[in-house]
mmCIF file of all heavy atoms in Angstrom:
data_model
loop_
_atom_site.group_PDB
_atom_site.id
_atom_site.type_symbol
_atom_site.label_atom_id
_atom_site.label_comp_id
_atom_site.label_asym_id
_atom_site.label_seq_id
_atom_site.Cartn_x
_atom_site.Cartn_y
_atom_site.Cartn_z
ATOM 1 N N ARG A 1213 -1.069 -12.258 -8.596
ATOM 2 C CA ARG A 1213 -2.351 -12.856 -9.001
ATOM 3 C C ARG A 1213 -2.246 -13.464 -10.400
ATOM 4 O O ARG A 1213 -2.775 -14.532 -10.669
ATOM 5 C CB ARG A 1213 -3.450 -11.792 -8.975
ATOM 6 C CG ARG A 1213 -3.864 -11.378 -7.591
ATOM 7 C CD ARG A 1213 -5.046 -10.392 -7.614
ATOM 8 N NE ARG A 1213 -5.190 -9.782 -6.315
ATOM 9 C CZ ARG A 1213 -4.676 -8.600 -5.972
ATOM 10 N NH1 ARG A 1213 -4.028 -7.879 -6.871
ATOM 11 N NH2 ARG A 1213 -4.831 -8.126 -4.759
ATOM 12 N N ASP A 1214 -1.561 -12.751 -11.276
ATOM 13 C CA ASP A 1214 -1.437 -13.184 -12.668
ATOM 14 C C ASP A 1214 -0.625 -14.471 -12.800
ATOM 15 O O ASP A 1214 -0.868 -15.278 -13.686
ATOM 16 C CB ASP A 1214 -0.779 -12.062 -13.472
ATOM 17 C CG ASP A 1214 -0.971 -12.219 -14.965
ATOM 18 O OD1 ASP A 1214 -1.848 -12.996 -15.383
ATOM 19 O OD2 ASP A 1214 -0.250 -11.555 -15.725
ATOM 20 N N MET A 1215 0.324 -14.671 -11.905
ATOM 21 C CA MET A 1215 1.226 -15.815 -12.034
ATOM 22 C C MET A 1215 0.760 -17.046 -11.265
ATOM 23 O O MET A 1215 1.482 -18.032 -11.188
ATOM 24 C CB MET A 1215 2.631 -15.417 -11.586
ATOM 25 C CG MET A 1215 3.270 -14.431 -12.543
ATOM 26 S SD MET A 1215 4.904 -13.905 -12.022
ATOM 27 C CE MET A 1215 5.807 -15.423 -12.154
ATOM 28 N N GLY A 1216 -0.440 -17.022 -10.710
ATOM 29 C CA GLY A 1216 -0.932 -18.258 -10.119
ATOM 30 C C GLY A 1216 -1.573 -18.152 -8.764
ATOM 31 O O GLY A 1216 -1.964 -19.161 -8.188
ATOM 32 N N TYR A 1217 -1.736 -16.945 -8.229
ATOM 33 C CA TYR A 1217 -2.401 -16.773 -6.938
ATOM 34 C C TYR A 1217 -3.562 -15.792 -7.090
ATOM 35 O O TYR A 1217 -3.560 -14.722 -6.497
ATOM 36 C CB TYR A 1217 -1.407 -16.258 -5.888
ATOM 37 C CG TYR A 1217 -0.276 -17.207 -5.629
ATOM 38 C CD1 TYR A 1217 0.942 -17.051 -6.280
ATOM 39 C CD2 TYR A 1217 -0.423 -18.273 -4.752
ATOM 40 C CE1 TYR A 1217 1.988 -17.936 -6.064
ATOM 41 C CE2 TYR A 1217 0.613 -19.165 -4.524
ATOM 42 C CZ TYR A 1217 1.817 -18.984 -5.182
ATOM 43 O OH TYR A 1217 2.847 -19.869 -4.972
ATOM 44 N N PRO A 1218 -4.576 -16.159 -7.877
ATOM 45 C CA PRO A 1218 -5.654 -15.206 -8.159
ATOM 46 C C PRO A 1218 -6.464 -14.809 -6.925
ATOM 47 O O PRO A 1218 -7.061 -13.739 -6.896
ATOM 48 C CB PRO A 1218 -6.532 -15.941 -9.179
ATOM 49 C CG PRO A 1218 -6.211 -17.383 -8.996
ATOM 50 C CD PRO A 1218 -4.790 -17.445 -8.548
ATOM 51 N N ASP A 1219 -6.472 -15.659 -5.907
ATOM 52 C CA ASP A 1219 -7.268 -15.367 -4.713
ATOM 53 C C ASP A 1219 -6.415 -14.827 -3.569
ATOM 54 O O ASP A 1219 -6.816 -14.897 -2.412
ATOM 55 C CB ASP A 1219 -8.009 -16.627 -4.254
ATOM 56 C CG ASP A 1219 -8.945 -17.154 -5.330
ATOM 57 O OD1 ASP A 1219 -9.532 -16.329 -6.040
ATOM 58 O OD2 ASP A 1219 -9.071 -18.387 -5.465
ATOM 59 N N THR A 1220 -5.241 -14.293 -3.884
ATOM 60 C CA THR A 1220 -4.349 -13.811 -2.822
ATOM 61 C C THR A 1220 -5.060 -12.776 -1.955
ATOM 62 O O THR A 1220 -5.819 -11.959 -2.450
ATOM 63 C CB THR A 1220 -3.044 -13.226 -3.411
ATOM 64 O OG1 THR A 1220 -2.136 -12.964 -2.340
ATOM 65 C CG2 THR A 1220 -3.278 -11.959 -4.193
ATOM 66 N N MET A 1221 -4.813 -12.856 -0.661
ATOM 67 C CA MET A 1221 -5.476 -11.956 0.292
ATOM 68 C C MET A 1221 -4.499 -10.968 0.924
ATOM 69 O O MET A 1221 -4.891 -10.189 1.785
ATOM 70 C CB MET A 1221 -6.157 -12.785 1.393
ATOM 71 C CG MET A 1221 -7.234 -13.738 0.879
ATOM 72 S SD MET A 1221 -8.602 -12.881 0.084
ATOM 73 C CE MET A 1221 -9.395 -12.182 1.500
ATOM 74 N N ILE A 1222 -3.226 -11.001 0.515
ATOM 75 C CA ILE A 1222 -2.270 -10.089 1.137
ATOM 76 C C ILE A 1222 -2.460 -8.681 0.585
ATOM 77 O O ILE A 1222 -2.943 -8.501 -0.531
ATOM 78 C CB ILE A 1222 -0.804 -10.565 0.953
ATOM 79 C CG1 ILE A 1222 -0.381 -10.529 -0.506
ATOM 80 C CG2 ILE A 1222 -0.606 -11.934 1.548
ATOM 81 C CD1 ILE A 1222 1.107 -10.773 -0.706
ATOM 82 N N GLY A 1223 -2.080 -7.710 1.391
ATOM 83 C CA GLY A 1223 -2.189 -6.314 0.973
ATOM 84 C C GLY A 1223 -0.822 -5.700 0.778
ATOM 85 O O GLY A 1223 0.212 -6.364 0.922
ATOM 86 N N ALA A 1224 -0.805 -4.419 0.491
ATOM 87 C CA ALA A 1224 0.446 -3.702 0.236
ATOM 88 C C ALA A 1224 1.377 -3.757 1.444
ATOM 89 O O ALA A 1224 2.588 -3.909 1.300
ATOM 90 C CB ALA A 1224 0.147 -2.256 -0.143
ATOM 91 N N LYS A 1225 0.816 -3.656 2.667
ATOM 92 C CA LYS A 1225 1.656 -3.678 3.866
ATOM 93 C C LYS A 1225 2.365 -5.017 4.043
ATOM 94 O O LYS A 1225 3.516 -5.063 4.488
ATOM 95 C CB LYS A 1225 0.834 -3.350 5.114
ATOM 96 C CG LYS A 1225 0.576 -1.878 5.287
ATOM 97 C CD LYS A 1225 -0.145 -1.601 6.595
ATOM 98 C CE LYS A 1225 -0.397 -0.114 6.753
ATOM 99 N NZ LYS A 1225 -1.253 0.180 7.899
ATOM 100 N N HIS A 1226 1.691 -6.110 3.711
ATOM 101 C CA HIS A 1226 2.330 -7.428 3.831
ATOM 102 C C HIS A 1226 3.573 -7.491 2.957
ATOM 103 O O HIS A 1226 4.599 -8.027 3.346
ATOM 104 C CB HIS A 1226 1.362 -8.544 3.424
ATOM 105 C CG HIS A 1226 0.193 -8.675 4.321
ATOM 106 N ND1 HIS A 1226 -1.065 -8.356 3.907
ATOM 107 C CD2 HIS A 1226 0.088 -9.078 5.617
ATOM 108 C CE1 HIS A 1226 -1.910 -8.566 4.904
ATOM 109 N NE2 HIS A 1226 -1.234 -8.995 5.947
ATOM 110 N N PHE A 1227 3.447 -6.932 1.777
ATOM 111 C CA PHE A 1227 4.549 -6.985 0.831
ATOM 112 C C PHE A 1227 5.643 -5.965 1.181
ATOM 113 O O PHE A 1227 6.821 -6.285 1.251
ATOM 114 C CB PHE A 1227 4.001 -6.743 -0.583
ATOM 115 C CG PHE A 1227 5.043 -6.444 -1.589
ATOM 116 C CD1 PHE A 1227 5.953 -7.400 -1.974
ATOM 117 C CD2 PHE A 1227 5.151 -5.171 -2.128
ATOM 118 C CE1 PHE A 1227 6.944 -7.108 -2.892
ATOM 119 C CE2 PHE A 1227 6.123 -4.882 -3.044
ATOM 120 C CZ PHE A 1227 7.022 -5.857 -3.428
ATOM 121 N N LEU A 1228 5.241 -4.725 1.432
ATOM 122 C CA LEU A 1228 6.220 -3.674 1.705
ATOM 123 C C LEU A 1228 6.883 -3.834 3.077
ATOM 124 O O LEU A 1228 8.020 -3.421 3.274
ATOM 125 C CB LEU A 1228 5.552 -2.295 1.612
ATOM 126 C CG LEU A 1228 5.074 -1.897 0.217
ATOM 127 C CD1 LEU A 1228 4.262 -0.625 0.279
ATOM 128 C CD2 LEU A 1228 6.249 -1.750 -0.744
ATOM 129 N N GLY A 1229 6.160 -4.450 4.017
ATOM 130 C CA GLY A 1229 6.700 -4.643 5.358
ATOM 131 C C GLY A 1229 7.944 -5.515 5.389
ATOM 132 O O GLY A 1229 8.701 -5.499 6.363
ATOM 133 N N MET A 1230 8.180 -6.266 4.346
ATOM 134 C CA MET A 1230 9.400 -7.090 4.267
ATOM 135 C C MET A 1230 10.628 -6.232 3.979
ATOM 136 O O MET A 1230 11.751 -6.652 4.217
ATOM 137 C CB MET A 1230 9.264 -8.141 3.164
ATOM 138 C CG MET A 1230 8.152 -9.127 3.379
ATOM 139 S SD MET A 1230 8.051 -10.223 1.943
ATOM 140 C CE MET A 1230 6.482 -10.997 2.231
ATOM 141 N N ARG A 1231 10.414 -5.029 3.446
ATOM 142 C CA ARG A 1231 11.532 -4.208 3.001
ATOM 143 C C ARG A 1231 11.643 -2.865 3.717
ATOM 144 O O ARG A 1231 12.684 -2.249 3.712
ATOM 145 C CB ARG A 1231 11.418 -3.965 1.495
ATOM 146 C CG ARG A 1231 11.139 -5.225 0.692
ATOM 147 C CD ARG A 1231 11.368 -5.045 -0.765
ATOM 148 N NE ARG A 1231 12.749 -4.858 -1.090
ATOM 149 C CZ ARG A 1231 13.666 -5.809 -1.160
ATOM 150 N NH1 ARG A 1231 13.343 -7.031 -0.845
ATOM 151 N NH2 ARG A 1231 14.906 -5.542 -1.494
ATOM 152 N N ILE A 1232 10.551 -2.397 4.317
ATOM 153 C CA ILE A 1232 10.554 -1.075 4.948
ATOM 154 C C ILE A 1232 10.355 -1.249 6.447
ATOM 155 O O ILE A 1232 9.271 -1.647 6.900
ATOM 156 C CB ILE A 1232 9.440 -0.176 4.350
ATOM 157 C CG1 ILE A 1232 9.647 -0.038 2.841
ATOM 158 C CG2 ILE A 1232 9.426 1.177 5.023
ATOM 159 C CD1 ILE A 1232 8.522 0.657 2.114
ATOM 160 N N SER A 1233 11.394 -0.939 7.210
ATOM 161 C CA SER A 1233 11.364 -1.217 8.650
ATOM 162 C C SER A 1233 10.386 -0.332 9.414
ATOM 163 O O SER A 1233 9.785 -0.768 10.391
ATOM 164 C CB SER A 1233 12.772 -1.085 9.240
ATOM 165 O OG SER A 1233 13.260 0.231 9.031
ATOM 166 N N ASP A 1234 10.188 0.918 8.977
ATOM 167 C CA ASP A 1234 9.305 1.815 9.728
ATOM 168 C C ASP A 1234 7.938 1.977 9.051
ATOM 169 O O ASP A 1234 7.264 2.993 9.216
ATOM 170 C CB ASP A 1234 9.979 3.182 9.932
ATOM 171 C CG ASP A 1234 10.281 3.878 8.599
ATOM 172 O OD1 ASP A 1234 10.251 3.206 7.552
ATOM 173 O OD2 ASP A 1234 10.546 5.099 8.620
ATOM 174 N N LEU A 1235 7.516 0.972 8.332
ATOM 175 C CA LEU A 1235 6.260 1.041 7.580
ATOM 176 C C LEU A 1235 5.083 1.396 8.480
ATOM 177 O O LEU A 1235 4.247 2.229 8.119
ATOM 178 C CB LEU A 1235 5.994 -0.294 6.873
ATOM 179 C CG LEU A 1235 4.697 -0.386 6.071
ATOM 180 C CD1 LEU A 1235 4.747 0.535 4.861
ATOM 181 C CD2 LEU A 1235 4.464 -1.814 5.606
ATOM 182 N N TYR A 1236 4.992 0.772 9.633
ATOM 183 C CA TYR A 1236 3.828 0.981 10.497
ATOM 184 C C TYR A 1236 3.936 2.239 11.352
ATOM 185 O O TYR A 1236 2.919 2.755 11.813
ATOM 186 C CB TYR A 1236 3.608 -0.255 11.383
ATOM 187 C CG TYR A 1236 3.189 -1.462 10.564
ATOM 188 C CD1 TYR A 1236 4.127 -2.371 10.087
ATOM 189 C CD2 TYR A 1236 1.858 -1.654 10.227
ATOM 190 C CE1 TYR A 1236 3.748 -3.452 9.320
ATOM 191 C CE2 TYR A 1236 1.464 -2.738 9.458
ATOM 192 C CZ TYR A 1236 2.417 -3.635 9.000
ATOM 193 O OH TYR A 1236 2.024 -4.705 8.234
ATOM 194 N N SER A 1237 5.138 2.739 11.541
ATOM 195 C CA SER A 1237 5.300 3.931 12.377
ATOM 196 C C SER A 1237 5.448 5.212 11.556
ATOM 197 O O SER A 1237 5.282 6.311 12.079
ATOM 198 C CB SER A 1237 6.515 3.773 13.300
ATOM 199 O OG SER A 1237 7.694 3.599 12.527
ATOM 200 N N HIS A 1238 5.721 5.084 10.278
ATOM 201 C CA HIS A 1238 5.893 6.253 9.404
ATOM 202 C C HIS A 1238 4.529 6.904 9.171
ATOM 203 O O HIS A 1238 3.543 6.222 8.841
ATOM 204 C CB HIS A 1238 6.521 5.824 8.070
ATOM 205 C CG HIS A 1238 6.954 6.967 7.216
ATOM 206 N ND1 HIS A 1238 6.069 7.692 6.452
ATOM 207 C CD2 HIS A 1238 8.187 7.506 6.994
ATOM 208 C CE1 HIS A 1238 6.726 8.617 5.785
ATOM 209 N NE2 HIS A 1238 8.016 8.537 6.114
ATOM 210 N N ASP A 1239 4.473 8.222 9.328
ATOM 211 C CA ASP A 1239 3.218 8.955 9.242
ATOM 212 C C ASP A 1239 2.474 8.695 7.925
ATOM 213 O O ASP A 1239 1.269 8.444 7.922
ATOM 214 C CB ASP A 1239 3.504 10.459 9.411
ATOM 215 C CG ASP A 1239 2.230 11.284 9.401
ATOM 216 O OD1 ASP A 1239 1.272 10.863 10.075
ATOM 217 O OD2 ASP A 1239 2.193 12.321 8.705
ATOM 218 N N GLN A 1240 3.168 8.759 6.798
ATOM 219 C CA GLN A 1240 2.532 8.583 5.484
ATOM 220 C C GLN A 1240 2.469 7.125 5.049
ATOM 221 O O GLN A 1240 1.433 6.659 4.594
ATOM 222 C CB GLN A 1240 3.272 9.419 4.428
ATOM 223 C CG GLN A 1240 3.067 10.908 4.559
ATOM 224 C CD GLN A 1240 1.615 11.310 4.314
ATOM 225 O OE1 GLN A 1240 0.974 10.856 3.371
ATOM 226 N NE2 GLN A 1240 1.092 12.148 5.188
ATOM 227 N N LEU A 1241 3.587 6.386 5.173
ATOM 228 C CA LEU A 1241 3.634 5.008 4.673
ATOM 229 C C LEU A 1241 2.648 4.085 5.381
ATOM 230 O O LEU A 1241 2.184 3.102 4.810
ATOM 231 C CB LEU A 1241 5.051 4.445 4.774
ATOM 232 C CG LEU A 1241 6.089 5.078 3.845
ATOM 233 C CD1 LEU A 1241 7.459 4.456 4.065
ATOM 234 C CD2 LEU A 1241 5.679 4.950 2.382
ATOM 235 N N ALA A 1242 2.300 4.418 6.618
ATOM 236 C CA ALA A 1242 1.335 3.598 7.356
ATOM 237 C C ALA A 1242 -0.032 3.589 6.674
ATOM 238 O O ALA A 1242 -0.862 2.719 6.934
ATOM 239 C CB ALA A 1242 1.210 4.092 8.795
ATOM 240 N N LYS A 1243 -0.277 4.534 5.757
ATOM 241 C CA LYS A 1243 -1.572 4.640 5.071
ATOM 242 C C LYS A 1243 -1.591 3.900 3.728
ATOM 243 O O LYS A 1243 -2.554 4.005 2.978
ATOM 244 C CB LYS A 1243 -1.892 6.115 4.823
ATOM 245 C CG LYS A 1243 -1.978 6.938 6.095
ATOM 246 C CD LYS A 1243 -2.158 8.404 5.749
ATOM 247 C CE LYS A 1243 -2.195 9.252 7.012
ATOM 248 N NZ LYS A 1243 -2.326 10.686 6.715
ATOM 249 N N VAL A 1244 -0.543 3.144 3.452
ATOM 250 C CA VAL A 1244 -0.383 2.558 2.119
ATOM 251 C C VAL A 1244 -1.494 1.562 1.744
ATOM 252 O O VAL A 1244 -1.729 1.323 0.566
ATOM 253 C CB VAL A 1244 1.022 1.906 1.977
ATOM 254 C CG1 VAL A 1244 1.090 0.584 2.703
ATOM 255 C CG2 VAL A 1244 1.427 1.778 0.525
ATOM 256 N N ASP A 1245 -2.197 1.015 2.728
ATOM 257 C CA ASP A 1245 -3.280 0.073 2.411
ATOM 258 C C ASP A 1245 -4.620 0.768 2.158
ATOM 259 O O ASP A 1245 -5.603 0.109 1.839
ATOM 260 C CB ASP A 1245 -3.443 -0.959 3.533
ATOM 261 C CG ASP A 1245 -2.649 -2.234 3.254
ATOM 262 O OD1 ASP A 1245 -2.380 -2.507 2.067
ATOM 263 O OD2 ASP A 1245 -2.303 -2.947 4.202
ATOM 264 N N MET A 1246 -4.652 2.084 2.272
ATOM 265 C CA MET A 1246 -5.897 2.813 1.967
ATOM 266 C C MET A 1246 -6.228 2.642 0.482
ATOM 267 O O MET A 1246 -5.317 2.478 -0.335
ATOM 268 C CB MET A 1246 -5.721 4.318 2.246
ATOM 269 C CG MET A 1246 -5.662 4.693 3.708
ATOM 270 S SD MET A 1246 -5.274 6.467 3.923
ATOM 271 C CE MET A 1246 -6.779 7.237 3.334
ATOM 272 N N PRO A 1247 -7.501 2.686 0.111
ATOM 273 C CA PRO A 1247 -7.834 2.709 -1.320
ATOM 274 C C PRO A 1247 -7.119 3.888 -1.992
ATOM 275 O O PRO A 1247 -6.962 4.957 -1.380
ATOM 276 C CB PRO A 1247 -9.352 2.889 -1.339
ATOM 277 C CG PRO A 1247 -9.805 2.367 -0.011
ATOM 278 C CD PRO A 1247 -8.700 2.675 0.953
ATOM 279 N N LEU A 1248 -6.678 3.695 -3.218
ATOM 280 C CA LEU A 1248 -5.876 4.702 -3.912
ATOM 281 C C LEU A 1248 -6.561 6.067 -3.955
ATOM 282 O O LEU A 1248 -5.923 7.088 -3.707
ATOM 283 C CB LEU A 1248 -5.524 4.229 -5.331
ATOM 284 C CG LEU A 1248 -4.640 5.186 -6.130
ATOM 285 C CD1 LEU A 1248 -3.284 5.379 -5.448
ATOM 286 C CD2 LEU A 1248 -4.466 4.687 -7.555
ATOM 287 N N ALA A 1249 -7.844 6.081 -4.243
ATOM 288 C CA ALA A 1249 -8.549 7.370 -4.345
ATOM 289 C C ALA A 1249 -8.495 8.113 -3.000
ATOM 290 O O ALA A 1249 -8.258 9.328 -2.962
ATOM 291 C CB ALA A 1249 -9.995 7.148 -4.778
ATOM 292 N N ASP A 1250 -8.695 7.373 -1.909
ATOM 293 C CA ASP A 1250 -8.648 7.999 -0.576
ATOM 294 C C ASP A 1250 -7.242 8.475 -0.250
ATOM 295 O O ASP A 1250 -7.055 9.558 0.307
ATOM 296 C CB ASP A 1250 -9.119 7.010 0.496
ATOM 297 C CG ASP A 1250 -10.585 6.632 0.326
ATOM 298 O OD1 ASP A 1250 -11.315 7.357 -0.379
ATOM 299 O OD2 ASP A 1250 -10.997 5.595 0.896
ATOM 300 N N LEU A 1251 -6.254 7.665 -0.598
ATOM 301 C CA LEU A 1251 -4.855 8.029 -0.328
ATOM 302 C C LEU A 1251 -4.465 9.276 -1.127
ATOM 303 O O LEU A 1251 -3.807 10.180 -0.599
ATOM 304 C CB LEU A 1251 -3.932 6.853 -0.671
ATOM 305 C CG LEU A 1251 -2.457 7.016 -0.338
ATOM 306 C CD1 LEU A 1251 -2.253 7.278 1.151
ATOM 307 C CD2 LEU A 1251 -1.679 5.772 -0.776
ATOM 308 N N CYS A 1252 -4.888 9.338 -2.380
ATOM 309 C CA CYS A 1252 -4.589 10.516 -3.210
ATOM 310 C C CYS A 1252 -5.210 11.769 -2.607
ATOM 311 O O CYS A 1252 -4.560 12.827 -2.545
ATOM 312 C CB CYS A 1252 -5.098 10.309 -4.637
ATOM 313 S SG CYS A 1252 -4.127 9.124 -5.582
ATOM 314 N N ARG A 1253 -6.452 11.672 -2.149
ATOM 315 C CA ARG A 1253 -7.101 12.816 -1.507
ATOM 316 C C ARG A 1253 -6.351 13.211 -0.234
ATOM 317 O O ARG A 1253 -6.133 14.385 0.036
ATOM 318 C CB ARG A 1253 -8.556 12.471 -1.158
ATOM 319 C CG ARG A 1253 -9.556 12.914 -2.199
ATOM 320 C CD ARG A 1253 -10.980 12.853 -1.714
ATOM 321 N NE ARG A 1253 -11.369 11.575 -1.149
ATOM 322 C CZ ARG A 1253 -11.770 10.533 -1.863
ATOM 323 N NH1 ARG A 1253 -11.849 10.634 -3.176
ATOM 324 N NH2 ARG A 1253 -12.109 9.411 -1.274
ATOM 325 N N ASP A 1254 -5.929 12.194 0.533
ATOM 326 C CA ASP A 1254 -5.258 12.440 1.806
ATOM 327 C C ASP A 1254 -3.944 13.205 1.619
ATOM 328 O O ASP A 1254 -3.616 14.061 2.424
ATOM 329 C CB ASP A 1254 -4.998 11.101 2.515
ATOM 330 C CG ASP A 1254 -4.525 11.289 3.936
ATOM 331 O OD1 ASP A 1254 -5.349 11.693 4.785
ATOM 332 O OD2 ASP A 1254 -3.323 11.047 4.201
ATOM 333 N N VAL A 1255 -3.207 12.853 0.555
ATOM 334 C CA VAL A 1255 -1.910 13.520 0.337
ATOM 335 C C VAL A 1255 -2.008 14.671 -0.661
ATOM 336 O O VAL A 1255 -1.015 15.304 -0.986
ATOM 337 C CB VAL A 1255 -0.816 12.503 -0.124
ATOM 338 C CG1 VAL A 1255 -0.576 11.460 0.943
ATOM 339 C CG2 VAL A 1255 -1.167 11.864 -1.458
ATOM 340 N N GLY A 1256 -3.203 14.924 -1.175
ATOM 341 C CA GLY A 1256 -3.396 16.036 -2.106
ATOM 342 C C GLY A 1256 -2.726 15.840 -3.449
ATOM 343 O O GLY A 1256 -2.144 16.773 -4.014
ATOM 344 N N TRP A 1257 -2.831 14.642 -4.000
ATOM 345 C CA TRP A 1257 -2.189 14.329 -5.286
ATOM 346 C C TRP A 1257 -3.244 13.827 -6.258
ATOM 347 O O TRP A 1257 -4.068 12.977 -5.916
ATOM 348 C CB TRP A 1257 -1.111 13.263 -5.065
ATOM 349 C CG TRP A 1257 -0.292 12.941 -6.288
ATOM 350 C CD1 TRP A 1257 0.728 13.680 -6.808
ATOM 351 C CD2 TRP A 1257 -0.403 11.779 -7.118
ATOM 352 N NE1 TRP A 1257 1.251 13.068 -7.914
ATOM 353 C CE2 TRP A 1257 0.579 11.884 -8.125
ATOM 354 C CE3 TRP A 1257 -1.228 10.664 -7.119
ATOM 355 C CZ2 TRP A 1257 0.761 10.933 -9.114
ATOM 356 C CZ3 TRP A 1257 -1.066 9.701 -8.102
ATOM 357 C CH2 TRP A 1257 -0.074 9.836 -9.097
ATOM 358 N N THR A 1258 -3.224 14.338 -7.472
ATOM 359 C CA THR A 1258 -4.164 13.885 -8.504
ATOM 360 C C THR A 1258 -3.419 13.019 -9.509
ATOM 361 O O THR A 1258 -2.438 13.472 -10.109
ATOM 362 C CB THR A 1258 -4.785 15.092 -9.248
ATOM 363 O OG1 THR A 1258 -5.417 15.941 -8.281
ATOM 364 C CG2 THR A 1258 -5.808 14.640 -10.272
ATOM 365 N N PRO A 1259 -3.863 11.783 -9.709
ATOM 366 C CA PRO A 1259 -3.195 10.909 -10.671
ATOM 367 C C PRO A 1259 -3.244 11.510 -12.072
ATOM 368 O O PRO A 1259 -4.257 12.116 -12.450
ATOM 369 C CB PRO A 1259 -4.007 9.614 -10.601
ATOM 370 C CG PRO A 1259 -4.741 9.658 -9.318
ATOM 371 C CD PRO A 1259 -4.985 11.106 -9.027
ATOM 372 N N PRO A 1260 -2.185 11.332 -12.853
ATOM 373 C CA PRO A 1260 -2.164 11.905 -14.206
ATOM 374 C C PRO A 1260 -3.303 11.399 -15.078
ATOM 375 O O PRO A 1260 -3.798 12.118 -15.947
ATOM 376 C CB PRO A 1260 -0.817 11.469 -14.784
ATOM 377 C CG PRO A 1260 -0.040 10.880 -13.671
ATOM 378 C CD PRO A 1260 -0.957 10.645 -12.523
#
């Protein structure tokens, strides 16, 4: 966004799917597009 695509509509899966073959089938990684707060609650992790 900072380098010239402020209205980009792609999400984390679009980007990570180019590099991670089991992104959609992996139990945890498939949730990567969840809002961070929801994802943190889901995995039981509190951001520092």
Side-chain angles (χ1 to χ4, degrees):
R1213 288 185 194 96
D1214 197 16
M1215 291 178 66
Y1217 298 96
D1219 300 324
T1220 189
M1221 299 298 287
I1222 66 171
K1225 281 185 180 172
H1226 295 111
F1227 166 68
L1228 293 172
M1230 298 176 193
R1231 312 194 68 78
I1232 302 172
S1233 60
D1234 61 344
L1235 179 67
Y1236 293 93
S1237 60
H1238 190 281
D1239 183 45
Q1240 289 295 315
L1241 292 179
K1243 300 174 182 178
V1244 76
D1245 266 336
M1246 288 174 70
L1248 182 62
D1250 295 342
L1251 185 59
C1252 288
R1253 265 193 308 277
D1254 190 72
V1255 298
W1257 185 78
T1258 303

